[in-house]
Amino acid sequence: MNIDGMKCSRCRKPAQHRLPSHNARFCDHCLGIFVRRQAEKAIKQFDMLGPGQKVLVAVSGGKDSLALWQILLELGYQAEGLHLALELGDGSFGEASLAASQDMAQRLGAPLHLMNMAELAGFGVQEIAWANKRSFCSVCGTLKRYQLNKVCLDLGFEVLATGHHLDDEAARLLGNLVRRHQQYLESQWPVLQGAPGAFAKKIKPLCRLRGAEIKSFAKSQGISVAKGACPRSKGATLPHYMDAVRLLEERMPGTTTNFYMGYLEDKGGPPPQPDPAQRCSVCGMPSYADVCTVCRFLANTAERESTKRDALQSPD
Amino acid sequence: MNIDGMKCSRCRKPAQHRLPSHNARFCDHCLGIFVRRQAEKAIKQFDMLGPGQKVLVAVSGGKDSLALWQILLELGYQAEGLHLALELGDGSFGEASLAASQDMAQRLGAPLHLMNMAELAGFGVQEIAWANKRSFCSVCGTLKRYQLNKVCLDLGFEVLATGHHLDDEAARLLGNLVRRHQQYLESQWPVLQGAPGAFAKKIKPLCRLRGAEIKSFAKSQGISVAKGACPRSKGATLPHYMDAVRLLEERMPGTTTNFYMGYLEDKGGPPPQPDPAQRCSVCGMPSYADVCTVCRFLANTAERESTKRDALQSPD
């Protein structure tokens, strides 16, 4: 749709997209150029990837990760996809996510690696959450970070890219400031350095782009994305911080970029590399304790399941 | 109005007020007790006033400063009022503010000192803003802080109290964090220490109370307040940060208190006392430079006015 006879800020053809925080309007073609340039700028600014480097993209099936995958290929990187299927208690959302990821792999002619959280962990997220008396979201997040890192290394990739964008990062920053999570604030940076055999390098090449900009890009490129939100996200607080940032951005355009990029500038550099020397005695992955959080989660779940089985088998 | 057959959390009589962030409901009487207790708690927690101490209350005519004045008297402090009339280009708001302040003085049987910004400064705020190419709000704020401090000392008071509440302070904190105003962050504390003949001690005894709690209190006490907002506040950014904090509080009750009080806790203590030794060579008040900001503002305004007069008088 053309916006009220407006012209593209770049080529003067009819504009389809309005970018208030850049005080710009773009046609489909020039929006693509803008989006790729912003991703490239982030990759250079934060030293994310070398020319043509191999990178694994965590592909959920949503607009951000699918757009990221395409952009990285267009910029000449060897980008393969990894879809980690979660069990969210609602078959249709999971199925749509997988289908959108597979469609994209076909469209891009790029390999997509498929993994299943329940198979990797041996239990469903819900069982693990119950056995450890934790919220679903916190367990899911911990398992996801652990498995994405492990699978990335197992597949021989040094770099893992995720589709987090400026609005995600600004909302997370706001939440960490409001709740004064000093530890999380210290590790907030669009690149986390890797260590061979321990940590994949984590990169967020969309960190300079607004969510709405990526949405417009995905739409203009005809990318078919999984609709809907995670059916388990009801208790999540991040959307509230995202709405607060959106309110400030609407009232004072440019606030999101100034806030997040300014914070990074003041901070000056990435957090120190984590120590990869200490390892979990069970799985061999890096861990602060003798047994890592995930292996503790799994051990507790195994114990609970066996108690349940015993209770069912023993006569009353 | 009674809220849906709910009972007061304190005395079990019908409740009139809901305080979601305290998970409480109060009748008029017990709301008064709660509000006074919170003010007393802030006064003790931050060492604002000694028993029965003399204090000057900056009274605008709005609910917060009028409620504060009453509360300080009820808590046994010798609280007198100071109304500094501003010229905001809209006679009715200024008149209503003055009338509400005078009504309150009569009701409380307490002295109200009346001052006029234009008389104190020699020029209207608008003329000073024009002559110094500054925004109205920034000039008004600078002049107000200067005059409130000076008048307070001239009247022989050591302490100046203002009606800033928790929502004001949390919004200011959020704005300073988002804009990374390190200097303002350092001076954000509910008490700023005084220095004889240079700085009145500045205190904010309502810093533990939400705006809505003070509004309910003012209404339940039948305090008549000046309605409306400053007609010049259109360009102000604080209301946006206030709305963002309100959004977070509505979604996650208790956020405002945890955010602001947690920040103060992490900070650990008040900012260092400003150096009162260096003085403005014109007015004798403390100043970082040889001539203080206000005296520079006034000199520029006088120069501009005399140029204007000359231009009018000289034949073409």
Side-chain angles (χ1 to χ4, degrees):
Chain A
M1 108 230 98
N2 178 223
I3 43 168
D4 301 339
M6 298 273 231
K7 286 180 179 165
C8 174
S9 307
R10 229 184 125 262
C11 74
R12 315 308 297 163
K13 286 187 188 149
Q16 266 87 37
H17 311 280
R18 204 192 293 271
L19 281 71
S21 46
H22 291 269
N23 197 20
R25 294 159 300 282
F26 289 125
C27 66
D28 282 351
H29 177 72
C30 293
L31 177 71
I33 293 176
F34 168 82
V35 163
R36 279 186 290 276
R37 281 210 180 139
Q38 287 294 328
E40 210 173 1
K41 211 167 164 179
I43 289 170
K44 283 195 182 140
Q45 180 180 4
F46 297 106
D47 196 16
M48 293 181 179
L49 290 167
Q53 196 177 342
K54 256 183 80 176
V55 51
L56 188 66
V57 183
V59 174
S60 70
K63 63 177 173 58
D64 305 320
S65 58
L66 293 180
L68 172 62
W69 193 4
Q70 175 173 323
I71 292 163
L72 288 175
L73 284 167
E74 287 172 342
L75 291 175
Y77 301 101
Q78 296 177 54
E80 300 187 7
L82 165 63
H83 180 75
L84 183 57
L86 307 166
E87 289 194 357
L88 302 166
D90 175 348
S92 65
F93 181 69
E95 280 165 28
S97 302
L98 173 61
S101 305
Q102 287 177 316
D103 280 359
M104 194 65 179
Q106 201 155 28
R107 172 184 155 129
L108 298 173
L112 175 67
H113 305 271
L114 294 176
M115 299 280 165
N116 182 293
M117 179 75 94
E119 277 173 29
L120 288 170
F123 303 101
V125 177
Q126 186 59 75
E127 282 72 48
I128 304 174
W130 276 330
N132 290 276
K133 300 191 174 71
R134 297 285 191 106
S135 80
F136 189 95
C137 287
S138 106
V139 168
C140 185
T142 302
L143 290 171
K144 216 157 57 179
R145 274 189 298 277
Y146 175 92
Q147 293 295 358
L148 285 176
N149 182 60
K150 192 166 182 302
V151 169
C152 185
L153 297 173
D154 290 349
L155 290 172
F157 287 82
E158 282 176 16
V159 189
L160 177 74
T162 54
H164 296 100
H165 52 59
L166 178 57
D167 297 340
D168 290 326
E169 294 303 293
R172 198 153 75 94
L173 177 58
L174 183 68
N176 287 335
L177 284 171
V178 166
R179 287 176 294 197
R180 295 159 299 108
H181 282 171
Q182 204 49 44
Q183 201 195 328
Y184 297 153
L185 283 170
E186 271 156 30
S187 70
Q188 191 156 5
W189 195 258
V191 176
L192 295 178
Q193 290 309 317
F199 296 109
K201 181 176 176 178
K202 314 287 184 333
I203 65 171
K204 299 176 181 178
L206 303 184
C207 69
R208 297 179 56 90
L209 286 156
R210 310 277 326 272
E213 292 161 3
I214 301 166
K215 194 175 178 183
S216 294
F217 173 78
K219 207 173 163 189
S220 74
Q221 297 283 320
I223 297 175
S224 63
V225 306
K227 293 267 155 54
C230 170
R232 302 302 304 253
S233 67
K234 244 190 282 178
T237 56
L238 194 69
H240 305 319
Y241 293 105
M242 210 170 247
D243 286 345
V245 173
R246 192 175 297 132
L247 183 151
L248 295 175
E249 175 71 32
E250 277 169 13
R251 309 272 189 90
M252 301 173 284
T255 297
T256 317
T257 304
N258 292 340
F259 172 44
Y260 178 62
M261 290 298 164
Y263 178 82
L264 296 184
E265 212 170 285
D266 284 358
K267 201 173 146 87
Q273 206 182 21
D275 180 12
Q278 209 182 328
R279 297 294 180 130
C280 169
S281 61
V282 179
C283 69
M285 293 300 287
S287 168
Y288 289 109
D290 176 47
V291 177
C292 77
T293 311
V294 169
C295 288
R296 268 190 298 119
F297 277 179
L298 298 181
N300 290 339
T301 314
E303 198 189 312
R304 185 173 184 271
E305 294 296 314
S306 94
T307 315
K308 258 169 61 184
R309 257 196 315 279
D310 292 350
L312 283 170
Q313 282 165 3
S314 67
D316 205 11
Chain B
M1 109 229 98
N2 178 222
I3 43 169
D4 301 340
M6 299 273 231
K7 285 181 180 164
C8 174
S9 308
R10 227 184 127 261
C11 74
R12 315 309 296 162
K13 287 190 187 146
Q16 266 87 36
H17 312 281
R18 204 192 295 269
L19 282 70
S21 46
H22 291 269
N23 198 20
R25 294 160 300 281
F26 289 124
C27 66
D28 282 351
H29 178 72
C30 292
L31 177 70
I33 293 176
F34 168 82
V35 164
R36 279 185 289 274
R37 282 210 180 138
Q38 287 294 328
E40 210 173 1
K41 213 166 163 180
I43 289 169
K44 283 196 181 137
Q45 181 180 3
F46 297 105
D47 196 16
M48 293 181 179
L49 289 168
Q53 197 177 343
K54 257 183 81 177
V55 52
L56 188 67
V57 183
V59 174
S60 70
K63 64 178 173 55
D64 306 320
S65 57
L66 294 180
L68 172 62
W69 193 4
Q70 175 172 326
I71 292 163
L72 288 175
L73 284 168
E74 286 173 343
L75 291 175
Y77 300 101
Q78 297 177 54
E80 301 187 7
L82 165 64
H83 180 75
L84 183 58
L86 307 166
E87 290 195 356
L88 301 167
D90 174 348
S92 66
F93 181 68
E95 280 165 28
S97 302
L98 173 62
S101 305
Q102 287 177 316
D103 279 0
M104 193 64 178
Q106 201 155 28
R107 172 186 156 127
L108 298 174
L112 175 66
H113 305 270
L114 295 176
M115 299 280 165
N116 182 294
M117 179 74 94
E119 278 173 30
L120 288 170
F123 303 102
V125 176
Q126 186 59 74
E127 280 73 49
I128 303 173
W130 277 329
N132 290 276
K133 299 190 174 72
R134 297 287 191 105
S135 79
F136 189 95
C137 288
S138 106
V139 168
C140 185
T142 303
L143 290 172
K144 216 158 56 180
R145 274 189 297 279
Y146 174 92
Q147 293 294 358
L148 285 175
N149 183 59
K150 192 165 182 302
V151 169
C152 186
L153 297 173
D154 290 350
L155 289 171
F157 286 82
E158 283 176 16
V159 189
L160 177 75
T162 55
H164 296 101
H165 51 60
L166 178 57
D167 297 340
D168 291 325
E169 295 302 294
R172 197 153 77 95
L173 177 58
L174 182 68
N176 287 335
L177 284 170
V178 166
R179 287 175 295 195
R180 296 161 297 107
H181 283 170
Q182 203 49 45
Q183 201 195 330
Y184 297 154
L185 283 170
E186 272 157 28
S187 69
Q188 192 156 6
W189 195 259
V191 176
L192 296 177
Q193 290 309 317
F199 297 109
K201 181 176 177 180
K202 314 287 183 329
I203 65 171
K204 299 176 179 176
L206 303 184
C207 69
R208 297 179 56 91
L209 286 156
R210 310 277 325 273
E213 292 161 4
I214 300 165
K215 194 174 176 182
S216 293
F217 172 78
K219 207 174 162 186
S220 74
Q221 297 283 320
I223 297 176
S224 62
V225 305
K227 293 267 155 55
C230 170
R232 302 302 305 252
S233 66
K234 245 189 282 178
T237 56
L238 193 70
H240 305 319
Y241 292 105
M242 209 169 245
D243 286 346
V245 173
R246 191 176 298 131
L247 182 151
L248 295 175
E249 175 71 32
E250 278 170 14
R251 308 273 188 89
M252 301 173 283
T255 297
T256 318
T257 303
N258 292 340
F259 171 44
Y260 179 62
M261 289 299 163
Y263 178 83
L264 296 184
E265 211 169 287
D266 284 358
K267 201 174 146 87
Q273 207 183 19
D275 179 12
Q278 209 182 329
R279 296 296 179 126
C280 169
S281 60
V282 179
C283 70
M285 293 301 287
S287 168
Y288 289 110
D290 176 47
V291 177
C292 77
T293 311
V294 169
C295 288
R296 269 191 296 119
F297 277 179
L298 298 181
N300 289 339
T301 316
E303 199 188 312
R304 185 174 183 270
E305 294 294 314
S306 93
T307 316
K308 258 171 59 184
R309 257 196 315 280
D310 291 350
L312 283 171
Q313 282 166 2
S314 66
D316 204 7

